[in-house]
């Protein structure tokens, strides 16, 4: 009989947090980091970090270091070296080439204005009408688009249940590589989740709109689809999503406990007799983690 102490079960849970260094972390980012972290640790998994510094014009100088510092100050620990998307161009190029060889990619020279004038508007902006698809344009100075699958694409979310999306109809052919040479978030995230062996993705429900495109890319690249859990989105008092763009107040690294307790309440866990130190907070929160208690959508933190 196998002795579980000598041969521990292999770790089958690998979670991650993947911030973009476009600004400092705020309460909305903390909710995503905390949800992913608690879910990982409660299942004995490994937690990884990826810096999504993919889009130089949007990066704020110093933000990557500030984010790492802030995570440390709040008591998060990660199990492997941080992956930086800025260093991963070769992997994205290789994935793009594989997709191209299967005939799923074409060059598009439409301007934003062309698209705005010709497209229907969908849940994530204009639905590209496929103008360039039959033209066989050269890829030089062009965006490269993925031919969206037609018909229902289905995946299961642990909170939202079965999600069905007809990508071709609802979102259209989407960009993998921009005219300015930058790889898209959709492609990079799929390549990197596979590279890091991520089995469970826990992130904000603002990204639920992107997940069908990511699952379609996983299928086209022959990659395993991870398990998804999209957490409720934190809104400010005016009902807007907290974001770096709307200048959500940054976390206070000098006093991390109050924000952690607020984030935990937001995730549906009550805090009667809350811990009074960071060291007590973590084991207490991991033990109480209970995804069944999550509210489904959005709300303002109390
Ligand atoms: N970098 C993305 C963001 O900060 C998150 C990506 C993800 O979790 O898939 O919104
Ligand atoms: Zn086009």
């Amino acid at each position: 009989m196998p002795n579980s102490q000598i041969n521990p079960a292999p770790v089958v849970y690998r979670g991650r947090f993947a911030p973009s260094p476009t600004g400092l972390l705020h309460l909305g980012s903390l909710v995503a980091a905390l949800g992913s972290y608690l879910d990982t640790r409660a299942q004995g998994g490994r937690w990884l970090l990826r810096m999504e510094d993919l889009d130089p014009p949007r990066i704020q100088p110093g933000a990557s270091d500030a984010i790492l510092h802030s995570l440390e100050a709040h008591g998060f620990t990660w199990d492997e070296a941080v992956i930086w998307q800025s260093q991963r161009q070769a992997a994205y190029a290789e994935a793009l080439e594989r997709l191209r060889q299967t005939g799923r990619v074409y060059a598009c020279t439409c301007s934003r204005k062309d698209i705005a004038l010709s497209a229907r508007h969908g849940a994530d902006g204009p639905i590209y009408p496929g103008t360039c698809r039959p033209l066989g344009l050269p890829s030089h100075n062009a965006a490269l688009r993925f031919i969206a699958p037609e018909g229902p694409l289905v995946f299961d979310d642990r909170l939202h249940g079965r999600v069905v999306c007809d990508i071709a109809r609802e979102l259209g052919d989407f960009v993998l590589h921009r005219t300015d040479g930058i790889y898209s978030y959709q492609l990079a995230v799929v390549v990197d989740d596979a590279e890091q062996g991520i089995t469970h993705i826990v992130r904000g429900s603002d990204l639920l709109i992107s997940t069908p495109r990511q699952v379609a890319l996983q299928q086209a690249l022959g990659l395993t689809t991870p398990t998804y859990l999209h957490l409720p989105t934190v809104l400010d008092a005016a009902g807007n999503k907290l974001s770096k763009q709307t200048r959500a107040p940054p976390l206070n690294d000098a006093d991390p406990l109050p924000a952690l307790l607020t984030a935990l309440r937001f995730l549906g866990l009550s805090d009667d007799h809350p811990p009074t130190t960071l060291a007590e907070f973590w084991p207490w929160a991991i033990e109480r983690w209970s995804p069944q208690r999550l509210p489904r959508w959005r709300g303002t933190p109390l």
Side-chain angles (χ1 to χ4, degrees):
M1 227 171 74
N3 180 328
S4 62
Q5 285 198 305
I6 296 173
N7 290 319
V11 176
V12 293
Y13 189 122
R14 289 171 67 84
R16 50 71 155 181
F17 180 54
S20 302
T22 53
L24 303 176
L25 296 182
H26 50 74
L27 187 64
S29 346
L30 185 64
V31 163
L34 185 62
S36 161
Y37 193 85
L38 294 180
D39 199 56
T40 304
R41 296 301 188 214
Q43 298 190 55
R46 290 169 80 81
W47 197 68
L48 313 183
L49 207 56
R50 178 166 76 235
M51 196 56 73
E52 301 214 317
D53 56 346
L54 189 64
D55 189 348
R58 292 189 57 228
I59 292 174
Q60 187 184 302
S64 303
D65 285 347
I67 287 172
L68 295 178
H69 178 265
S70 196
L71 288 171
E72 252 162 23
H74 284 73
F76 290 91
T77 56
W78 45 97
D79 298 307
E80 293 175 16
V82 178
I83 278 204
W84 297 75
Q85 288 195 325
S86 54
Q87 323 262 302
R88 304 258 312 137
Q89 307 299 306
Y92 308 144
E94 195 253 349
L96 181 61
E97 186 50 33
R98 276 169 56 206
L99 293 171
R100 218 203 254 269
Q101 279 166 10
T102 62
R104 300 288 298 271
V105 179
Y106 65 91
C108 164
T109 53
C110 297
S111 66
R112 254 173 216 276
K113 202 168 148 208
D114 297 334
I115 296 172
L117 289 174
S118 59
R120 282 188 296 130
H121 205 82
D124 197 26
I127 304 172
Y128 180 66
T131 323
C132 296
R133 200 203 281 198
L135 304 182
L137 298 170
S139 52
H140 185 66
N141 279 338
L144 299 174
R145 286 184 185 271
F146 181 70
I147 300 183
E150 285 180 29
L153 183 131
V154 179
F155 68 92
D156 290 311
D157 182 276
R158 288 163 59 199
L159 187 58
H160 297 278
R162 181 140 293 191
V163 178
V164 183
C165 175
D166 186 324
I167 304 178
R169 208 163 51 79
E170 296 171 37
L171 301 161
D173 295 342
F174 54 92
V175 172
L176 300 175
H177 191 236
R178 295 184 346 207
T179 315
D180 62 6
I182 294 174
Y183 291 95
S184 74
Y185 158 67
Q186 308 293 355
L187 180 66
V189 88
V190 164
V191 171
D192 288 343
D193 282 330
E195 165 71 22
Q196 292 186 289
I198 301 303
T199 59
H200 293 69
I201 293 180
V202 179
R203 60 185 179 188
S205 60
D206 53 315
L207 293 165
L208 198 48
I209 189 75
S210 288
T211 310
R213 283 172 282 193
Q214 293 171 17
V215 172
L217 288 175
Q218 288 153 6
Q219 292 176 352
L221 288 163
L223 302 170
T224 311
T225 292
T227 300
Y228 287 99
L229 169 56
H230 288 87
L231 299 168
T233 311
V234 183
L235 305 179
D236 64 17
N240 300 313
K241 176 187 164 258
L242 288 193
S243 76
K244 294 162 186 156
Q245 286 71 31
T246 57
R247 310 230 172 129
L251 297 176
N252 179 0
D253 294 346
D255 188 19
L257 194 56
L260 285 166
L261 291 170
T262 303
L264 197 65
R265 266 200 311 277
F266 183 81
L267 291 170
L269 298 186
S270 67
D271 62 352
D272 351 323
H273 313 296
T276 51
T277 65
L278 200 56
E280 286 169 32
F281 171 81
W282 284 106
W284 178 86
I286 291 166
E287 200 194 319
R288 288 175 158 232
W289 173 244
S290 164
Q292 303 81 279
R293 303 240 208 114
L294 285 168
R296 268 188 86 179
W297 282 108
R298 33 186 67 201
T300 42
L302 302 172

